[in-house]
Amino acid sequence: MEVSGDAGVPESGEIRTLKPCLLRRNHSREQHGVAASCLEDLRSKACDILAIDKSLTPVTLVLAEDGTIVDDDDYFLCLPSNTKFVALANNEKWAYNNSDGGTAWISQESFDVDETDRGAGLKWKNVARQLKEDLSSIILLSEEDLQMLVDAPCADLAQELLQSCATVQQLQHTLQQVLDQREEVRQSKQLLQLYLEALEKEGSLLSKQEESKAALGEEADAVDTGISRETSSDVTLASHILTALREKPAPELSLSSQDLELVTREDPKALAVALNWDIRKTETVQEACERELALRLQQMQSLHSLRSISARKASPPGERQNPKRAKQEPT
């Protein structure tokens, strides 16, 4: 279905395709189907259909799944048909609503399961789109993101990446190898840590050092107590990052590059209080995260360099020739 020329939509003579969308108000289960040619057209129809008072404008459109604000026409055109939008009037805040979209006859239990599956499917699709835009971003993905791509249905992933099933199977096999290598490194570090602990227990010369460490530990505890719990509130890391730092033997292998950068920027004292660690262990983990981040960035730069070299080799021979020099006029 196509439409031409309307106020605020396309200019006269320009033809744009209508995109079917689903609209609802915040905290409402009632949905309305509309077709719009652009974001401004959808916003205008939302005011009319949902009876939003003009005094409550401007209206903000967000995705019903996760509350992402949609304010760019190009992004709007990239969204699939029948995408669900929530219209927020004035200063309203998006709130998740288990709207069943007209399937109220389904039991609430089965609907919750469907919402969970849909959310998981949407997450791996977002990771796949990121990978399609830049293949080198695979280095920056966390183990959770890599595992989602490995577990994703091969046919669906192939459709999302616009690749053949054979290519996607090879990609998933490679991703599984990356996960296995990270697990091997983690186990190796864990074994090395156990070996060092055994050597420390067997060393007869370490008894005096242990006594001094105990004294220093009491002083450190007193200092940490004096710092108070307000220091821990300064830590801005998300809960999943703190959990990985506490529980994973080699947390730098489990975190994404963005998470690694956040860990390296944290104040060691505040992070030590938040994790209930001593300052030396905290600094060691931060150094490991910094090394892993530098390694991933170096790998990305290498991939970009190889891509540039391949692009130059693939260009036509005529484009690589040097321009002819201009003839010099006789003096």
Side-chain angles (χ1 to χ4, degrees):
M1 183 183 298
E2 296 180 343
V3 63
S4 62
D6 197 357
V9 191
E11 297 179 356
S12 178
E14 184 182 357
I15 299 177
R16 298 184 68 174
T17 303
L18 291 175
K19 180 189 292 294
C21 307
L22 296 175
L23 278 173
R24 67 173 174 85
R25 287 296 300 273
N26 207 17
H27 306 293
S28 173
R29 301 174 68 91
E30 185 179 30
Q31 297 185 130
H32 299 267
V34 298
S37 59
C38 65
L39 195 57
E40 186 60 33
D41 186 23
L42 181 61
R43 190 178 289 112
S44 176
K45 291 184 177 181
C47 291
D48 296 337
I49 295 175
L50 301 177
I52 299 177
D53 195 291
K54 298 296 183 182
S55 62
L56 299 179
T57 56
V59 172
T60 303
L61 296 175
V62 301
L63 297 180
E65 288 93 345
D66 55 8
T68 299
I69 298 176
V70 181
D71 54 5
D72 180 73
D73 260 322
D74 293 333
Y75 182 75
F76 169 73
L77 295 175
C78 292
L79 293 173
S81 298
N82 295 318
T83 297
K84 295 182 180 180
F85 292 90
V86 176
L88 302 178
N90 203 2
N91 293 324
E92 280 186 341
K93 299 297 183 181
W94 172 83
Y96 179 75
N97 185 4
N98 250 347
S99 175
D100 58 13
T103 55
W105 54 273
I106 304 178
S107 66
Q108 184 63 37
E109 180 180 358
S110 61
F111 177 77
D112 290 340
V113 173
D114 179 67
E115 283 294 320
T116 303
D117 295 340
R118 186 183 307 170
L122 181 64
K123 192 171 183 180
W124 76 256
K125 286 184 179 180
N126 290 335
V127 177
R129 290 167 189 166
Q130 178 184 351
L131 196 62
K132 183 173 65 174
E133 293 176 0
D134 186 6
L135 186 60
S136 61
S137 64
I138 190 174
I139 301 173
L140 306 178
L141 298 179
S142 64
E143 286 186 338
E144 181 184 1
D145 294 337
L146 294 176
Q147 190 63 55
M148 281 193 300
L149 293 177
V150 171
D151 297 336
C154 182
D156 294 343
L157 185 58
Q159 183 179 3
E160 193 68 35
L161 296 177
L162 301 180
Q163 298 290 339
S164 64
C165 285
T167 302
V168 170
Q169 286 179 350
Q170 183 62 35
L171 173 63
Q172 289 180 314
H173 178 68
T174 303
L175 295 180
Q176 186 61 56
Q177 288 181 332
V178 173
L179 290 172
D180 294 341
Q181 290 174 357
R182 291 188 181 183
E183 182 62 27
E184 290 177 1
V185 172
R186 183 184 296 107
Q187 292 180 1
S188 299
K189 288 187 175 182
Q190 192 173 9
L191 289 174
L192 179 60
Q193 183 65 29
L194 293 174
Y195 176 72
L196 293 176
E197 290 177 359
L199 287 180
E200 187 175 355
K201 291 180 180 179
E202 293 176 358
S204 58
L205 298 178
L206 295 179
S207 57
K208 294 183 179 180
Q209 295 182 4
E210 290 297 331
E211 294 175 359
S212 62
K213 283 182 180 180
L216 291 175
E218 293 175 358
E219 295 177 2
D221 291 339
V223 172
D224 291 341
T225 305
I227 293 175
S228 79
R229 296 185 179 271
E230 294 182 359
T231 309
S232 63
S233 64
D234 296 336
V235 176
T236 58
L237 298 180
S239 59
H240 74 277
I241 301 178
L242 295 175
T243 301
L245 292 175
R246 290 193 190 98
E247 299 178 357
K248 298 291 184 179
E252 68 274 9
L253 301 177
S254 304
L255 299 174
S256 65
S257 297
Q258 183 178 4
D259 295 340
L260 290 175
E261 187 174 359
L262 293 176
V263 173
T264 58
R265 290 181 179 180
E266 280 294 339
D267 179 64
K269 293 182 180 179
L271 185 58
V273 174
L275 296 173
N276 197 22
W277 287 355
D278 59 80
I279 190 68
R280 181 177 298 179
K281 182 177 180 180
T282 304
E283 291 177 345
T284 301
V285 171
Q286 285 185 305
E287 291 173 0
C289 292
E290 188 173 358
R291 288 194 300 270
E292 178 66 20
L293 180 61
L295 177 61
R296 295 186 189 180
L297 293 178
Q298 183 180 5
Q299 291 174 343
M300 276 201 67
Q301 292 175 358
S302 301
L303 283 176
H304 284 302
S305 299
L306 292 174
R307 183 180 300 172
S308 300
I309 295 173
S310 300
R312 287 199 298 269
K313 289 184 178 181
S315 60
E319 296 182 1
R320 296 198 301 267
Q321 294 179 356
N322 295 326
K324 296 182 179 179
R325 295 182 179 178
K327 295 183 178 179
Q328 298 180 354
E329 296 182 0
T331 57

